[in-house]
Amino acid sequence: MKKILKYIGLLLLAAILFILIAGLFIAKDYHFERSITIDAPKEKVWEQVSNFTNRNKWSPWAAYDPDMQHTIEGTDGTVGAVHKWKGNKEVGSGSETITLTEAPDKINSILRFYEPFESEANTFIILTGEGNTTRATWGFDSRFPYPVNTMQLFMNMDKMMDRDFSNGLNKLKQICEAL
């Protein structure tokens, strides 16, 4: 029994050392983005991405908690406007603050999650268009602190994020093309 406990202790120590050492060599910065082409003029797409009220209509997370509580502080769609939410375990709670608007091309914000865990990301939506077609690119940049950055070895972050971002962009496309 003593030998088994010794081996278990050594395995745990090896796992901890692996995580600590690997974290020194794994990137801490993470960039993610997805794009979709929408058969609608850029100005119509801008109406749906430039304010929190309309974003909630195509947000992929709204479906996870239809009873989510939302508040908007400031003037929606302007720099400094804040969207706060509190929802179930799947959506948690957090806030998003608009930091830049360049109508009808780009909107940036800071996204902060408070529950189920704390994190922060710089988000963006970029619209490029020609005639009645618009390419919408939605993404974010974040940073994983050491040694949490080692989770990238065990999780496919792009695959995890792709489902929600692609669902949201597809819903945005449906809304814009129906207008």
Side-chain angles (χ1 to χ4, degrees):
M1 183 68 159
K2 195 174 180 181
K3 252 185 174 177
I4 292 173
L5 290 176
K6 181 180 176 181
Y7 285 123
I8 290 173
L10 287 173
L11 281 173
L12 285 173
L13 180 63
I16 291 168
L17 285 174
F18 172 78
I19 289 170
L20 292 174
I21 292 169
L24 296 171
F25 300 100
I26 296 171
K28 293 176 184 72
D29 294 325
Y30 179 68
H31 175 83
F32 179 84
E33 68 180 50
R34 289 296 178 261
S35 297
I36 195 164
T37 300
I38 300 171
D39 292 324
K42 188 166 42 168
E43 291 73 22
K44 289 220 183 241
V45 179
W46 179 255
E47 291 173 12
Q48 300 305 313
V49 303
S50 63
N51 64 70
F52 296 125
T53 302
N54 286 341
R55 280 195 206 181
N56 283 333
K57 295 174 186 173
W58 57 269
S59 166
W61 301 287
Y64 294 149
D65 184 1
D67 298 322
M68 189 179 348
Q69 299 171 355
H70 298 272
T71 60
I72 297 173
E73 298 173 358
T75 303
D76 195 4
T78 64
V79 172
V82 180
H83 170 234
K84 294 181 179 180
W85 71 91
K86 185 161 182 62
N88 62 21
K89 291 188 299 185
E90 288 186 78
V91 296
S93 67
S95 68
E96 184 174 6
T97 305
I98 296 174
T99 58
L100 172 80
T101 61
E102 294 177 358
D105 301 313
K106 181 179 185 179
I107 186 163
N108 291 358
S109 60
I110 295 177
L111 183 62
R112 292 181 178 97
F113 290 98
Y114 308 121
E115 294 174 341
F117 54 87
E118 289 190 25
S119 68
E120 187 174 292
N122 293 309
T123 67
F124 58 89
I125 300 173
I126 300 170
L127 304 179
T128 52
E130 190 172 302
N132 286 329
T133 302
T134 304
R135 182 148 185 88
T137 301
W138 182 27
F140 69 91
D141 292 294
S142 190
R143 186 164 179 81
F144 294 111
Y146 169 84
V148 176
N149 61 322
T150 58
M151 77 176 185
Q152 294 180 75
L153 289 175
F154 308 104
M155 299 170 64
N156 185 338
M157 291 295 293
D158 282 359
K159 185 176 179 184
M160 287 175 37
M161 301 306 302
D162 182 55
R163 180 187 68 171
D164 289 336
F165 274 64
S166 292
N167 285 343
L169 287 170
N170 282 318
K171 195 165 184 180
L172 172 65
K173 177 181 174 77
Q174 289 173 353
I175 289 169
C176 292
E177 290 179 355
L179 295 174

